[in-house]
Structure formats: structure tokens, C-alpha cells
Amino acid sequence: MRRNRDTVRTLSPHLFSGPHVRGCIAGGRRYFHINANGDVEPCVYTHIAMNNIKKVSLAEALDSPLFRAIRKSQPHDKNQLRPCMIIDNPHIYREIIEETKPYFTHKGAEEVVTRMKDELDAYAARFGVFAGKVWREEYLNPPSVTTSCASSSIGASMSMKSSS
């Protein structure tokens, strides 16, 4: 079973900490990004913004409708192996963009919600099947490990949940 967790980490290396931080940390929940132009983005991978740090305070940028909408939608999925609103839950990314009307911070960034929409939806669905199996089997119902101490005079047996 450990191999499945390692496969999730390989397929989605920047996301594997989702179970440890309860999902996505972007949107000012625990993380945000300021690009070279000063645009305050929810994440280094999320090229949208409503504010530029050169024009507003950081507190104002973090309280923008965009950041509030992202935090309100977190966690984006109960399966915390699928925390990302871009690649794991692209419908949420599109809904937030539709709701808050941010600007795209570089040329081509809009393609994630236009030209690449169907491809991202298909990827999210395929990965969701695999991540769902791993989430159910290894996080929600981890296998039990039973150990016995043969040399013990009391013959104690211990059953515990595996943490790996």
C-alpha cells in the first residue's frame, strides 16, 4: 500500500502534503504569491489577481473578493489528496474566476480555463479515480498492523494503525 502513496506523490509532488495541512494552503490561508510585477496571486501556480502590491496594502489584497472566495471554498475536495482548485477541481477554479472576475497576470494564463478546460477536466477525473482509492484505503481506513512479542513472559500482543 505504501507504493500507492508514493505514486500520488510522484504524480502530484507539490500536492502530497494536502492531508497534513487539510487541503490547499493558497488564497492567503497559509500561502500566497507576489509575482515580479507585484500582482498578488493566490498561489505560484494560479496566475490570477485582483490587486497589485504597488497599489494596495497586503492586508487589502488578502481580503479581496478573490482570496475570500478561495478560502471560503477550501477544502476544495474532501479527498485531501486532491487539494488543488486548478488541476484536481478545475470546476471550482472556473467558478471562482466567474464569481470574482480577477485579471490574468500573464499572457496565456487564461488558457487554463479556456483552451485547456476539457483536458484539465479529463485529467482531474482520471486522477480522481486513483486518488479516491488511495484516500479510502490508506487514509480513511489505513491497514492495521499486528505485532507480537514472542520473548515476552506475558505474551503481549499489540494492534496499531500504520502511520506510513
Side-chain angles (χ1 to χ4, degrees):
M1 288 298 176
R2 173 84 179 164
R3 191 182 84 204
N4 287 338
R5 283 190 187 188
D6 292 341
T7 302
V8 169
R9 290 183 182 126
T10 300
L11 293 172
S12 189
H14 66 284
L15 306 175
F16 74 89
S17 63
H20 306 287
V21 295
R22 292 189 212 119
C24 176
I25 62 172
R29 179 173 162 245
R30 293 187 181 192
Y31 175 80
F32 62 92
H33 178 251
I34 299 175
N35 68 21
N37 294 324
D39 300 308
V40 184
E41 300 171 323
C43 173
V44 69
Y45 301 107
T46 310
H47 305 293
I48 55 176
M50 294 192 86
N51 298 105
N52 188 290
I53 198 66
K54 298 172 189 173
K55 298 178 182 174
V56 301
S57 70
L58 183 55
E60 186 178 343
L62 293 175
D63 194 39
S64 71
L66 172 61
F67 279 61
R68 284 195 316 265
I70 291 169
R71 289 190 301 266
K72 182 179 175 184
S73 73
Q74 293 169 332
H76 304 305
D77 196 299
K78 289 180 182 179
N79 178 342
Q80 293 173 4
L81 295 174
R82 303 184 67 213
C84 182
M85 69 177 173
I86 304 170
I87 62 171
D88 296 319
N89 300 281
H91 63 286
I92 292 175
Y93 186 53
R94 292 189 298 268
E95 288 168 8
I96 288 172
I97 289 173
E98 179 63 31
E99 175 188 336
T100 63
K101 309 285 192 245
Y103 59 89
F104 292 95
T105 57
H106 67 74
K107 183 180 178 185
E110 73 284 348
E111 291 184 7
V112 172
V113 294
T114 58
R115 188 181 65 78
M116 296 174 64
K117 175 189 176 293
D118 293 338
E119 186 178 341
L120 278 170
D121 287 348
Y123 168 83
R126 286 191 313 271
F127 182 69
V129 171
F130 177 74
K133 182 179 186 320
V134 175
W135 181 250
R136 285 186 306 278
E137 292 176 5
E138 297 187 30
Y139 288 87
L140 297 180
N141 300 306
S144 294
V145 176
T146 303
T147 60
S148 296
C149 182
S151 65
S152 168
S153 61
I154 57 172
S157 179
M158 178 173 68
S159 180
M160 62 185 161
K161 295 285 185 179
S162 173
S163 63
S164 56

